Structure formats: structure tokens, C-alpha cells
Amino acid sequence: MTTFSESQLLDAYRRMRTIRDFEERIHAENTTGDIPGFVHLYAGQEAIATGVCIHLSEKDYIGSTHRGHGHCIAKLCDVKGMMKEIFGKQGGLCAGKGGSMHIADLSQGMLGANAIVGGNPPLAVGAALTAKTKKTRHCAVSFTGDGGSNQGTTFEAMNMAVVLKLPVLFVVENNGYGEGTGADYAVGSRDIAGRAAGFGMPAVRVDGTDFFAVAEAAGEAIERARNGGGPSAIEAVALRFYGHYEGDPQTYRSAEELKRIREEGDCMKIFRARVTGEGTLTEAQLDAIDAEVAELIEEAVAEARAADYPPVSELTTDVYVSY
Amino acid sequence: MAKKTIREAINEALRQEMARDPDVIIIGEDVSGGAGGSGEEDAYGGVMGVTKGLIGEFGRERVIDTPISESAIMGAAAGAATTGLRPVAELMFVDFVGVCFDQIMNQAAKFRYMFGGKARTPMVLRTMIGAGFRAAAQHSQSLYHLFTAVPGLKCVIPSNAYDAKGLMIQAIRDDDPVIFFEHKALYDIADDVPDEAYTIPFGEANFTRDGDDVTIVAFSRMVHIANEVADKLGREGVSVEVLDPRTSSPLDTDSILESVEKTGRLVIVDESAARCGLAGDIAGMVAQEGFEFLRAPIRQVTVPHTPVPFAPTLEDAYIPSPAKVETAVRQLLEARPRRMSA
């Protein structure tokens, strides 16, 4: 059983709280029409990104999805840079050229949100190949969803990782829906972890609303990867609070389900109840973090709104290193 | 200077760069061959033997045989490149891009721009092109036009061994994703190739024949056909200039326009595609930038708008032939200069 120090738990809570507030604020800001394009919110799944990334340093790599804000924050990407990017502004993590679905911060080991479902597992395999070739003891994590788990790229990446014995962890976040189609319908075996195990790697299914369950499984898998034990997979189940995209009327799921998720499947409430119940953290400590995060998000939005859009002269820059 | 084939020249480039830089790795299907088999290691050295012998020198950690999983190969190369290696990945036949284009087009090609200039993806993708092997529709295409259309990729299409070595070394040292197209009918063509490492910059055309009457632009195997026609017509007193751009992205438009300004006539010989191919691309560029140089219409000698056929009679008719190129050149010479309306 992994035990976490007080500071680690505070850190985990801060990451989760930041993701939740960030996403709820984007949900609100999006209604103003000032955010270009479309956004996909991670709220409800905070314990998964955090439970995994709490074990990683900036030298470890993660690949993410179109629902990538949570992975970025859990991997400690700059929140203000993220907000500017989502607003398409100068000073954004990708200089306003990527947007919500392409936020990346290589200096933090964040290889990018990825708007192609199933796009990142092969890339995470590549990052793991670098770690193995250079013998760094670093590892790579691929985050995908139940939708991405049905892509051939995911199968290829899992098999290749086993064949080459690469230090990579495949985290499949089963949030119940691939866009508007239920995972119980679209995942033929209804057992994503079992399917991963079929490729020849240790794979477990965990409650994705329980930070401790995710962190336990991820810690074990990442340790195995660092020690040359090859890849692992985790299927983490946690339903998303919001729609596939902002504006999704979510007619494919019932009002009762949405209500139940918030009441029974809120990882923030579950975390808070556990740490205060066990006496490892106090309400006051958590409230203090809530206040700091609220201030950070407020500043991030204000700065993003105040920032300029990139000048048209940047349209043709950075296509190549040299050309 | 020693004569070396294109196969030997590329192999030498790979060996020299791997010896120079430990971050260079090779990854692909059967790049050594024999992994997990009961016979010898390095059984293939690539299906055309281009990577033969490298595993003996650099080991299985740097010459990596993969499952037949092209998306995973391309993605692994792209992911490794952004995190510190310089992978040379192999897509055995370019036709197989149909199962893995996402990792090249949406991932590797776009990282730098999409991430605001912060990413580098120094990978090389070696792949085989070309008809003429009776390999039919799914092993014979020359799809470099598809990659040329993608911003973020560089496309190298060598026609001879000297260029192949210098361009390969440049490709490996380059910090952008480079697609390196090797024509399967050219591997045994030999040229003088220096033993030492050297680079050839991208975007600089090579004039393989100098002339004043007609310009032929051609890539890869088509350069040899163009040269053959130039030599034949030269004996008749027709002076044909042959220009091999060597890379389609970047494209040396200046050299093409300079040549057309001199000759006033342009034939483009291209194995990529009849529609939306390199010939059409270059013709459009010249029509826009050099219309006033032209004394006759631009002629495109391309493959037809068909898949590559199997039967020898059909495949032979598919490939642009010296006779077709010669006819195109003669038609231009016979065309009367356009009368410009006042």
C-alpha cells in the first residue's frame, strides 16, 4: 500500500482542485463566445490524471487527448499559459497556434493534447523508446479514453511496447462514452483492461474517482517501467461531468445519470472525505488551497482576456525549423 | 573515387551517421530481419538490403525490427524524435502509408507549428517508390506528391547514388521530419561516391544536362529517362536542359524559372500522379511566375490517372517512357510561338 506524505496529498489536492476550477471556469467562459473553436472538459476525471502524474517528473513524458486540460495541469503545465492558449492569445503555451486540443509543453514532458482519437499511444511508445535507448529510467504515459481504446493505433502501440519491452504505461480512461456512444456498446468485450492484458502486459481496472486507487496502480506500473519491466495498462473508470464538447446537449444520457455522477462519483468530494476522515489533512488546509486556486484561475482568465491575439505575421512562422 | 550503388550509398550514409551520433537509430519491419526466427540474424537487412550489416555494427538496440504495425512505427519515430533521438524509420513501400498517414501528417508534420515553435521532430522516414517491378497496384506507387502537400514535411527524391548519400546525411542531421523516397528500380545504379561523409542542401536543383532549347524537370527514375532523351536529341542538334530538383519540399523554384527563362519551353516528367501531382504543381508555378518566358505550352508527361497495373504490357505503358518524353519535346519545338494579342 502506497503511503503519501502530507505535502504529497496537498499537492495532489491542489492539482485536482486546479483542474476542476479550470474546467468549470472554461464552461462558464465558453458561453460568452470569446473562446474560439470547441473545448472538451475533463471535470469528473481529475483523480485519474493526478493519480498518475503524481508519480512523474518533468523528465517523464505523457501523451494526451482532445480532453487534455486535466493532463496538462496534472503534469504541472503553466495554468496561465494554458488559459491564454485556449483563448488563442499571445503568450499561450503554443503561441496561440494550437488551442485547447493541442496544448503541449515539452519542457514539462507534456507531448501534447491530441485531437486525433488514438493519436498519442504510438507517440508515447516513441518517448518510451527514447528513455530505453538512452537508459534514463524515465517513462512515458499514454492517456486515452474508452473511444481511443478501440483504435488500431492503440492496439499497435500496446503490442509494440510489449515486443520492445518499453517503459510505458497505457492509461485508458473509461468515462462511459466515446462522444455520444456508450462504452458498453462500443467496447466489444466490455473489458478494456482485459484486452490490454491480452497483449501480454499487466493490466488492472480501477475506480477512477478514487485518487488512492489510481495512484496505487499507477505507482506500481511506473516503478515496473523504470526498472525495465516493460509496459502496463490501467483502465480507470470515471464518468465525465460535462458533455463530449461544450454545447453538447447530452441527449444520449439521462438526467438521473448526470445527477448521480455528481452526487456519488465526484472524486473531489471522495478525496476530501477520506483525507479529513482519516485526519491526514484538515478542512482548513484544503480550504486554503481552494482559495489560492480560485485566485489563480481568476488571474489566468483576466490575463488571457487582456492578452493580444498573435499578429498575422506569425501565420507562416514555425512550420519548419529551417526551410 | 569508388563506384557505389544507391543501395550502398544509403547504407554508407546510415553507417557513418550512426557511428557519429549515438542518437541515430533505425526502426522498421525487417530492417535486420531474423528476430525471433530459427535462422540467422540480419537475414534481410531491409527487404532491398539497404540496412544490411548495420545490426552487426550497432546492435539490436539501435537497429530495431518491429512488428508489422506501420502506425506504431511512424508514431514511435515521431515520439522518439521529439524526445531526443534521431530515428530513421522505414515504411517498406510508400503504398503502406494508407494505414499510418495520421502519425506522419497529423502528428510529426504538425508538432512544430501546432506547439508554437517549441517542438523539433528530427526523424527520417525512408520509403520505397516506383513502378516497374510487376508489383501491381499496392506496391508500385510514387506517392511523394501526397507528402509534398503537407506543410511541415520535407521531401527528398534522389535520382543517383552521389545525391542519395549526401541527401541522406543531410536528412538525418536535419531538425525537421524528412521523407526520403527511394525508387526500387534505381538501387543498383552506381556512381562515383566519396567515402567520407558529406551533405547536400535541400532545395537546390541539380542540372544533369545543360541546354538552351527545352527544359525537362524530372525526379528520381524519370531523371534517367530525361537524360536519355536529352542525349538522343543532342545528337540531332537539339539542346535539352535536364533539371533534377532532388527535393520537392522545399522546391528550387528559382532554378526551374531560370531555366525556363533561358529555354522558353518546359516538359515535366513525373511518376507521381496525373492529377494533383508534382508535374501539375510545377506547371502551375511556372504558369503563374514565368508565363512571359514561355514560347510554347507546358507539357506534362505523367503516369495515367489509373492504378498501377500488373500485366507487363500494361505496366510498361503506364510508366512515362523515353518515347513519350521525346514526343513531348518535339511537339514543343514544333509549336509556333504564341501570338500575343495587342
Side-chain angles (χ1 to χ4, degrees), chain A residues 227-258:
Chain A
N227 290 329
S232 309
I234 296 172
E235 177 186 2
V237 183
L239 301 191
R240 52 172 149 83
F241 282 10
Y242 294 103
H244 165 57
Y245 61 95
E246 277 306 275
D248 179 0
Q250 298 194 74
T251 46
Y252 49 84
R253 56 179 177 175
S254 65
E256 295 78 56
E257 179 181 309
L258 286 166

PDB file of all heavy atoms in Angstrom, chain A residues 227-258:
ATOM      1  N   ASN A 227      12.084   0.148 -13.869  1.00  0.00           N
ATOM      2  CA  ASN A 227      13.019  -0.942 -13.568  1.00  0.00           C
ATOM      3  C   ASN A 227      13.177  -1.921 -14.722  1.00  0.00           C
ATOM      4  O   ASN A 227      13.704  -3.014 -14.531  1.00  0.00           O
ATOM      5  CB  ASN A 227      12.554  -1.687 -12.309  1.00  0.00           C
ATOM      6  CG  ASN A 227      12.714  -0.827 -11.059  1.00  0.00           C
ATOM      7  OD1 ASN A 227      13.629   0.006 -10.987  1.00  0.00           O
ATOM      8  ND2 ASN A 227      11.831  -1.003 -10.093  1.00  0.00           N
ATOM      9  N   GLY A 228      12.706  -1.541 -15.897  1.00  0.00           N
ATOM     10  CA  GLY A 228      12.911  -2.399 -17.057  1.00  0.00           C
ATOM     11  C   GLY A 228      11.886  -3.498 -17.205  1.00  0.00           C
ATOM     12  O   GLY A 228      12.084  -4.439 -17.985  1.00  0.00           O
ATOM     13  N   GLY A 229      10.792  -3.390 -16.465  1.00  0.00           N
ATOM     14  CA  GLY A 229       9.771  -4.440 -16.507  1.00  0.00           C
ATOM     15  C   GLY A 229       8.774  -4.307 -17.634  1.00  0.00           C
ATOM     16  O   GLY A 229       7.832  -5.092 -17.707  1.00  0.00           O
ATOM     17  N   GLY A 230       8.938  -3.296 -18.477  1.00  0.00           N
ATOM     18  CA  GLY A 230       8.066  -3.161 -19.635  1.00  0.00           C
ATOM     19  C   GLY A 230       6.755  -2.452 -19.343  1.00  0.00           C
ATOM     20  O   GLY A 230       6.567  -1.870 -18.271  1.00  0.00           O
ATOM     21  N   PRO A 231       5.859  -2.518 -20.296  1.00  0.00           N
ATOM     22  CA  PRO A 231       4.627  -1.727 -20.224  1.00  0.00           C
ATOM     23  C   PRO A 231       3.581  -2.333 -19.309  1.00  0.00           C
ATOM     24  O   PRO A 231       3.628  -3.508 -18.955  1.00  0.00           O
ATOM     25  CB  PRO A 231       4.125  -1.739 -21.669  1.00  0.00           C
ATOM     26  CG  PRO A 231       4.611  -3.038 -22.229  1.00  0.00           C
ATOM     27  CD  PRO A 231       5.953  -3.275 -21.569  1.00  0.00           C
ATOM     28  N   SER A 232       2.602  -1.485 -18.947  1.00  0.00           N
ATOM     29  CA  SER A 232       1.425  -1.893 -18.171  1.00  0.00           C
ATOM     30  C   SER A 232       0.244  -1.093 -18.689  1.00  0.00           C
ATOM     31  O   SER A 232       0.415  -0.130 -19.440  1.00  0.00           O
ATOM     32  CB  SER A 232       1.594  -1.580 -16.680  1.00  0.00           C
ATOM     33  OG  SER A 232       2.802  -2.083 -16.182  1.00  0.00           O
ATOM     34  N   ALA A 233      -0.928  -1.500 -18.253  1.00  0.00           N
ATOM     35  CA  ALA A 233      -2.124  -0.740 -18.607  1.00  0.00           C
ATOM     36  C   ALA A 233      -3.032  -0.619 -17.402  1.00  0.00           C
ATOM     37  O   ALA A 233      -3.084  -1.510 -16.554  1.00  0.00           O
ATOM     38  CB  ALA A 233      -2.867  -1.409 -19.761  1.00  0.00           C
ATOM     39  N   ILE A 234      -3.725   0.506 -17.336  1.00  0.00           N
ATOM     40  CA  ILE A 234      -4.730   0.734 -16.298  1.00  0.00           C
ATOM     41  C   ILE A 234      -6.006   1.215 -16.986  1.00  0.00           C
ATOM     42  O   ILE A 234      -5.958   2.165 -17.773  1.00  0.00           O
ATOM     43  CB  ILE A 234      -4.266   1.813 -15.296  1.00  0.00           C
ATOM     44  CG1 ILE A 234      -3.021   1.348 -14.532  1.00  0.00           C
ATOM     45  CG2 ILE A 234      -5.400   2.156 -14.317  1.00  0.00           C
ATOM     46  CD1 ILE A 234      -2.391   2.425 -13.663  1.00  0.00           C
ATOM     47  N   GLU A 235      -7.097   0.548 -16.723  1.00  0.00           N
ATOM     48  CA  GLU A 235      -8.407   1.066 -17.115  1.00  0.00           C
ATOM     49  C   GLU A 235      -8.994   1.748 -15.897  1.00  0.00           C
ATOM     50  O   GLU A 235      -9.216   1.098 -14.867  1.00  0.00           O
ATOM     51  CB  GLU A 235      -9.335  -0.058 -17.595  1.00  0.00           C
ATOM     52  CG  GLU A 235     -10.737   0.442 -17.947  1.00  0.00           C
ATOM     53  CD  GLU A 235     -11.719  -0.684 -18.281  1.00  0.00           C
ATOM     54  OE1 GLU A 235     -11.328  -1.875 -18.205  1.00  0.00           O
ATOM     55  OE2 GLU A 235     -12.878  -0.363 -18.606  1.00  0.00           O
ATOM     56  N   ALA A 236      -9.186   3.045 -15.989  1.00  0.00           N
ATOM     57  CA  ALA A 236      -9.706   3.809 -14.860  1.00  0.00           C
ATOM     58  C   ALA A 236     -11.098   4.321 -15.224  1.00  0.00           C
ATOM     59  O   ALA A 236     -11.269   4.998 -16.228  1.00  0.00           O
ATOM     60  CB  ALA A 236      -8.776   4.975 -14.529  1.00  0.00           C
ATOM     61  N   VAL A 237     -12.062   3.990 -14.403  1.00  0.00           N
ATOM     62  CA  VAL A 237     -13.454   4.301 -14.725  1.00  0.00           C
ATOM     63  C   VAL A 237     -13.921   5.518 -13.932  1.00  0.00           C
ATOM     64  O   VAL A 237     -13.871   5.525 -12.692  1.00  0.00           O
ATOM     65  CB  VAL A 237     -14.370   3.094 -14.406  1.00  0.00           C
ATOM     66  CG1 VAL A 237     -15.812   3.392 -14.820  1.00  0.00           C
ATOM     67  CG2 VAL A 237     -13.860   1.837 -15.116  1.00  0.00           C
ATOM     68  N   ALA A 238     -14.331   6.540 -14.644  1.00  0.00           N
ATOM     69  CA  ALA A 238     -14.896   7.742 -14.010  1.00  0.00           C
ATOM     70  C   ALA A 238     -15.688   8.493 -15.068  1.00  0.00           C
ATOM     71  O   ALA A 238     -15.137   8.868 -16.097  1.00  0.00           O
ATOM     72  CB  ALA A 238     -13.788   8.634 -13.459  1.00  0.00           C
ATOM     73  N   LEU A 239     -16.948   8.710 -14.830  1.00  0.00           N
ATOM     74  CA  LEU A 239     -17.778   9.374 -15.839  1.00  0.00           C
ATOM     75  C   LEU A 239     -17.503  10.878 -15.860  1.00  0.00           C
ATOM     76  O   LEU A 239     -17.260  11.485 -14.812  1.00  0.00           O
ATOM     77  CB  LEU A 239     -19.260   9.108 -15.558  1.00  0.00           C
ATOM     78  CG  LEU A 239     -19.682   7.638 -15.550  1.00  0.00           C
ATOM     79  CD1 LEU A 239     -21.205   7.513 -15.523  1.00  0.00           C
ATOM     80  CD2 LEU A 239     -19.126   6.875 -16.746  1.00  0.00           C
ATOM     81  N   ARG A 240     -17.562  11.437 -17.053  1.00  0.00           N
ATOM     82  CA  ARG A 240     -17.337  12.881 -17.158  1.00  0.00           C
ATOM     83  C   ARG A 240     -18.589  13.641 -16.743  1.00  0.00           C
ATOM     84  O   ARG A 240     -19.703  13.191 -16.953  1.00  0.00           O
ATOM     85  CB  ARG A 240     -16.906  13.279 -18.569  1.00  0.00           C
ATOM     86  CG  ARG A 240     -17.770  12.817 -19.723  1.00  0.00           C
ATOM     87  CD  ARG A 240     -17.327  13.464 -21.040  1.00  0.00           C
ATOM     88  NE  ARG A 240     -17.541  12.640 -22.218  1.00  0.00           N
ATOM     89  CZ  ARG A 240     -18.691  12.541 -22.893  1.00  0.00           C
ATOM     90  NH1 ARG A 240     -19.766  13.189 -22.481  1.00  0.00           N
ATOM     91  NH2 ARG A 240     -18.770  11.785 -23.971  1.00  0.00           N
ATOM     92  N   PHE A 241     -18.343  14.823 -16.143  1.00  0.00           N
ATOM     93  CA  PHE A 241     -19.450  15.664 -15.674  1.00  0.00           C
ATOM     94  C   PHE A 241     -20.157  16.370 -16.820  1.00  0.00           C
ATOM     95  O   PHE A 241     -21.360  16.583 -16.784  1.00  0.00           O
ATOM     96  CB  PHE A 241     -18.933  16.731 -14.699  1.00  0.00           C
ATOM     97  CG  PHE A 241     -18.669  16.213 -13.308  1.00  0.00           C
ATOM     98  CD1 PHE A 241     -18.685  14.846 -13.027  1.00  0.00           C
ATOM     99  CD2 PHE A 241     -18.401  17.099 -12.266  1.00  0.00           C
ATOM    100  CE1 PHE A 241     -18.439  14.386 -11.744  1.00  0.00           C
ATOM    101  CE2 PHE A 241     -18.159  16.651 -10.985  1.00  0.00           C
ATOM    102  CZ  PHE A 241     -18.172  15.288 -10.716  1.00  0.00           C
ATOM    103  N   TYR A 242     -19.364  16.782 -17.813  1.00  0.00           N
ATOM    104  CA  TYR A 242     -19.928  17.584 -18.901  1.00  0.00           C
ATOM    105  C   TYR A 242     -20.084  16.717 -20.148  1.00  0.00           C
ATOM    106  O   TYR A 242     -19.768  15.527 -20.152  1.00  0.00           O
ATOM    107  CB  TYR A 242     -19.031  18.792 -19.176  1.00  0.00           C
ATOM    108  CG  TYR A 242     -18.995  19.774 -18.025  1.00  0.00           C
ATOM    109  CD1 TYR A 242     -17.897  19.821 -17.166  1.00  0.00           C
ATOM    110  CD2 TYR A 242     -20.066  20.638 -17.785  1.00  0.00           C
ATOM    111  CE1 TYR A 242     -17.867  20.715 -16.099  1.00  0.00           C
ATOM    112  CE2 TYR A 242     -20.044  21.534 -16.720  1.00  0.00           C
ATOM    113  CZ  TYR A 242     -18.941  21.568 -15.879  1.00  0.00           C
ATOM    114  OH  TYR A 242     -18.905  22.447 -14.833  1.00  0.00           O
ATOM    115  N   GLY A 243     -20.512  17.360 -21.213  1.00  0.00           N
ATOM    116  CA  GLY A 243     -20.729  16.651 -22.464  1.00  0.00           C
ATOM    117  C   GLY A 243     -19.429  16.307 -23.158  1.00  0.00           C
ATOM    118  O   GLY A 243     -18.336  16.617 -22.674  1.00  0.00           O
ATOM    119  N   HIS A 244     -19.564  15.684 -24.323  1.00  0.00           N
ATOM    120  CA  HIS A 244     -18.368  15.391 -25.111  1.00  0.00           C
ATOM    121  C   HIS A 244     -17.637  16.684 -25.426  1.00  0.00           C
ATOM    122  O   HIS A 244     -16.438  16.793 -25.258  1.00  0.00           O
ATOM    123  CB  HIS A 244     -18.745  14.662 -26.406  1.00  0.00           C
ATOM    124  CG  HIS A 244     -17.659  14.653 -27.417  1.00  0.00           C
ATOM    125  ND1 HIS A 244     -16.406  14.139 -27.143  1.00  0.00           N
ATOM    126  CD2 HIS A 244     -17.605  15.117 -28.691  1.00  0.00           C
ATOM    127  CE1 HIS A 244     -15.634  14.280 -28.218  1.00  0.00           C
ATOM    128  NE2 HIS A 244     -16.335  14.877 -29.153  1.00  0.00           N
ATOM    129  N   TYR A 245     -18.407  17.684 -25.847  1.00  0.00           N
ATOM    130  CA  TYR A 245     -17.844  19.014 -26.107  1.00  0.00           C
ATOM    131  C   TYR A 245     -18.750  20.022 -25.421  1.00  0.00           C
ATOM    132  O   TYR A 245     -19.895  19.707 -25.074  1.00  0.00           O
ATOM    133  CB  TYR A 245     -17.792  19.283 -27.621  1.00  0.00           C
ATOM    134  CG  TYR A 245     -19.148  19.254 -28.281  1.00  0.00           C
ATOM    135  CD1 TYR A 245     -19.873  20.423 -28.493  1.00  0.00           C
ATOM    136  CD2 TYR A 245     -19.734  18.049 -28.654  1.00  0.00           C
ATOM    137  CE1 TYR A 245     -21.146  20.386 -29.065  1.00  0.00           C
ATOM    138  CE2 TYR A 245     -21.001  18.007 -29.220  1.00  0.00           C
ATOM    139  CZ  TYR A 245     -21.704  19.173 -29.420  1.00  0.00           C
ATOM    140  OH  TYR A 245     -22.952  19.131 -29.969  1.00  0.00           O
ATOM    141  N   GLU A 246     -18.273  21.206 -25.241  1.00  0.00           N
ATOM    142  CA  GLU A 246     -19.102  22.248 -24.638  1.00  0.00           C
ATOM    143  C   GLU A 246     -20.203  22.642 -25.618  1.00  0.00           C
ATOM    144  O   GLU A 246     -19.915  23.044 -26.752  1.00  0.00           O
ATOM    145  CB  GLU A 246     -18.252  23.450 -24.255  1.00  0.00           C
ATOM    146  CG  GLU A 246     -17.583  23.259 -22.918  1.00  0.00           C
ATOM    147  CD  GLU A 246     -18.578  22.903 -21.832  1.00  0.00           C
ATOM    148  OE1 GLU A 246     -19.175  23.813 -21.248  1.00  0.00           O
ATOM    149  OE2 GLU A 246     -18.767  21.689 -21.561  1.00  0.00           O
ATOM    150  N   GLY A 247     -21.417  22.513 -25.168  1.00  0.00           N
ATOM    151  CA  GLY A 247     -22.555  22.749 -26.049  1.00  0.00           C
ATOM    152  C   GLY A 247     -23.270  21.455 -26.402  1.00  0.00           C
ATOM    153  O   GLY A 247     -24.361  21.488 -26.953  1.00  0.00           O
ATOM    154  N   ASP A 248     -22.648  20.345 -26.063  1.00  0.00           N
ATOM    155  CA  ASP A 248     -23.260  19.034 -26.290  1.00  0.00           C
ATOM    156  C   ASP A 248     -24.532  18.920 -25.441  1.00  0.00           C
ATOM    157  O   ASP A 248     -24.464  18.993 -24.220  1.00  0.00           O
ATOM    158  CB  ASP A 248     -22.233  17.960 -25.874  1.00  0.00           C
ATOM    159  CG  ASP A 248     -22.761  16.538 -26.034  1.00  0.00           C
ATOM    160  OD1 ASP A 248     -23.912  16.373 -26.464  1.00  0.00           O
ATOM    161  OD2 ASP A 248     -21.986  15.610 -25.719  1.00  0.00           O
ATOM    162  N   PRO A 249     -25.684  18.753 -26.063  1.00  0.00           N
ATOM    163  CA  PRO A 249     -26.925  18.669 -25.263  1.00  0.00           C
ATOM    164  C   PRO A 249     -27.045  17.372 -24.467  1.00  0.00           C
ATOM    165  O   PRO A 249     -27.929  17.258 -23.607  1.00  0.00           O
ATOM    166  CB  PRO A 249     -28.031  18.754 -26.327  1.00  0.00           C
ATOM    167  CG  PRO A 249     -27.393  18.384 -27.614  1.00  0.00           C
ATOM    168  CD  PRO A 249     -25.946  18.745 -27.506  1.00  0.00           C
ATOM    169  N   GLN A 250     -26.144  16.426 -24.725  1.00  0.00           N
ATOM    170  CA  GLN A 250     -26.096  15.181 -23.933  1.00  0.00           C
ATOM    171  C   GLN A 250     -27.423  14.435 -23.883  1.00  0.00           C
ATOM    172  O   GLN A 250     -27.787  13.872 -22.840  1.00  0.00           O
ATOM    173  CB  GLN A 250     -25.610  15.452 -22.506  1.00  0.00           C
ATOM    174  CG  GLN A 250     -24.208  16.012 -22.437  1.00  0.00           C
ATOM    175  CD  GLN A 250     -23.656  15.938 -21.040  1.00  0.00           C
ATOM    176  OE1 GLN A 250     -23.302  14.858 -20.570  1.00  0.00           O
ATOM    177  NE2 GLN A 250     -23.593  17.066 -20.364  1.00  0.00           N
ATOM    178  N   THR A 251     -28.116  14.419 -24.987  1.00  0.00           N
ATOM    179  CA  THR A 251     -29.388  13.701 -25.009  1.00  0.00           C
ATOM    180  C   THR A 251     -29.185  12.182 -24.960  1.00  0.00           C
ATOM    181  O   THR A 251     -30.143  11.443 -24.805  1.00  0.00           O
ATOM    182  CB  THR A 251     -30.171  14.067 -26.280  1.00  0.00           C
ATOM    183  OG1 THR A 251     -29.281  14.010 -27.388  1.00  0.00           O
ATOM    184  CG2 THR A 251     -30.741  15.471 -26.181  1.00  0.00           C
ATOM    185  N   TYR A 252     -27.955  11.760 -25.085  1.00  0.00           N
ATOM    186  CA  TYR A 252     -27.680  10.320 -25.030  1.00  0.00           C
ATOM    187  C   TYR A 252     -27.587   9.785 -23.603  1.00  0.00           C
ATOM    188  O   TYR A 252     -27.416   8.593 -23.387  1.00  0.00           O
ATOM    189  CB  TYR A 252     -26.367   9.997 -25.778  1.00  0.00           C
ATOM    190  CG  TYR A 252     -25.215  10.880 -25.377  1.00  0.00           C
ATOM    191  CD1 TYR A 252     -24.447  10.595 -24.255  1.00  0.00           C
ATOM    192  CD2 TYR A 252     -24.909  12.034 -26.109  1.00  0.00           C
ATOM    193  CE1 TYR A 252     -23.408  11.406 -23.871  1.00  0.00           C
ATOM    194  CE2 TYR A 252     -23.861  12.858 -25.737  1.00  0.00           C
ATOM    195  CZ  TYR A 252     -23.115  12.547 -24.620  1.00  0.00           C
ATOM    196  OH  TYR A 252     -22.095  13.364 -24.236  1.00  0.00           O
ATOM    197  N   ARG A 253     -27.652  10.675 -22.618  1.00  0.00           N
ATOM    198  CA  ARG A 253     -27.683  10.160 -21.247  1.00  0.00           C
ATOM    199  C   ARG A 253     -28.748  10.881 -20.421  1.00  0.00           C
ATOM    200  O   ARG A 253     -29.123  12.012 -20.714  1.00  0.00           O
ATOM    201  CB  ARG A 253     -26.322  10.168 -20.568  1.00  0.00           C
ATOM    202  CG  ARG A 253     -25.577  11.473 -20.491  1.00  0.00           C
ATOM    203  CD  ARG A 253     -24.257  11.198 -19.744  1.00  0.00           C
ATOM    204  NE  ARG A 253     -23.396  12.358 -19.659  1.00  0.00           N
ATOM    205  CZ  ARG A 253     -22.257  12.355 -18.973  1.00  0.00           C
ATOM    206  NH1 ARG A 253     -21.850  11.276 -18.348  1.00  0.00           N
ATOM    207  NH2 ARG A 253     -21.501  13.432 -18.915  1.00  0.00           N
ATOM    208  N   SER A 254     -29.193  10.175 -19.402  1.00  0.00           N
ATOM    209  CA  SER A 254     -30.357  10.653 -18.654  1.00  0.00           C
ATOM    210  C   SER A 254     -29.965  11.704 -17.624  1.00  0.00           C
ATOM    211  O   SER A 254     -28.812  11.783 -17.190  1.00  0.00           O
ATOM    212  CB  SER A 254     -31.013   9.473 -17.939  1.00  0.00           C
ATOM    213  OG  SER A 254     -30.121   8.962 -16.958  1.00  0.00           O
ATOM    214  N   ALA A 255     -30.959  12.494 -17.242  1.00  0.00           N
ATOM    215  CA  ALA A 255     -30.747  13.492 -16.186  1.00  0.00           C
ATOM    216  C   ALA A 255     -30.374  12.811 -14.873  1.00  0.00           C
ATOM    217  O   ALA A 255     -29.562  13.319 -14.102  1.00  0.00           O
ATOM    218  CB  ALA A 255     -32.007  14.334 -16.012  1.00  0.00           C
ATOM    219  N   GLU A 256     -30.970  11.627 -14.651  1.00  0.00           N
ATOM    220  CA  GLU A 256     -30.663  10.902 -13.403  1.00  0.00           C
ATOM    221  C   GLU A 256     -29.176  10.512 -13.366  1.00  0.00           C
ATOM    222  O   GLU A 256     -28.535  10.603 -12.324  1.00  0.00           O
ATOM    223  CB  GLU A 256     -31.502   9.614 -13.286  1.00  0.00           C
ATOM    224  CG  GLU A 256     -32.999   9.808 -13.162  1.00  0.00           C
ATOM    225  CD  GLU A 256     -33.661  10.127 -14.498  1.00  0.00           C
ATOM    226  OE1 GLU A 256     -33.494   9.329 -15.447  1.00  0.00           O
ATOM    227  OE2 GLU A 256     -34.322  11.174 -14.609  1.00  0.00           O
ATOM    228  N   GLU A 257     -28.683  10.102 -14.516  1.00  0.00           N
ATOM    229  CA  GLU A 257     -27.264   9.706 -14.554  1.00  0.00           C
ATOM    230  C   GLU A 257     -26.377  10.899 -14.217  1.00  0.00           C
ATOM    231  O   GLU A 257     -25.446  10.786 -13.408  1.00  0.00           O
ATOM    232  CB  GLU A 257     -26.892   9.142 -15.936  1.00  0.00           C
ATOM    233  CG  GLU A 257     -25.426   8.744 -16.033  1.00  0.00           C
ATOM    234  CD  GLU A 257     -25.027   8.215 -17.407  1.00  0.00           C
ATOM    235  OE1 GLU A 257     -25.721   7.324 -17.910  1.00  0.00           O
ATOM    236  OE2 GLU A 257     -24.019   8.705 -17.952  1.00  0.00           O
ATOM    237  N   LEU A 258     -26.669  12.042 -14.832  1.00  0.00           N
ATOM    238  CA  LEU A 258     -25.854  13.236 -14.584  1.00  0.00           C
ATOM    239  C   LEU A 258     -25.902  13.636 -13.107  1.00  0.00           C
ATOM    240  O   LEU A 258     -24.888  14.025 -12.526  1.00  0.00           O
ATOM    241  CB  LEU A 258     -26.347  14.385 -15.462  1.00  0.00           C
ATOM    242  CG  LEU A 258     -25.966  14.248 -16.944  1.00  0.00           C
ATOM    243  CD1 LEU A 258     -26.754  15.225 -17.809  1.00  0.00           C
ATOM    244  CD2 LEU A 258     -24.468  14.475 -17.127  1.00  0.00           C
TER     245      LEU A 258
END
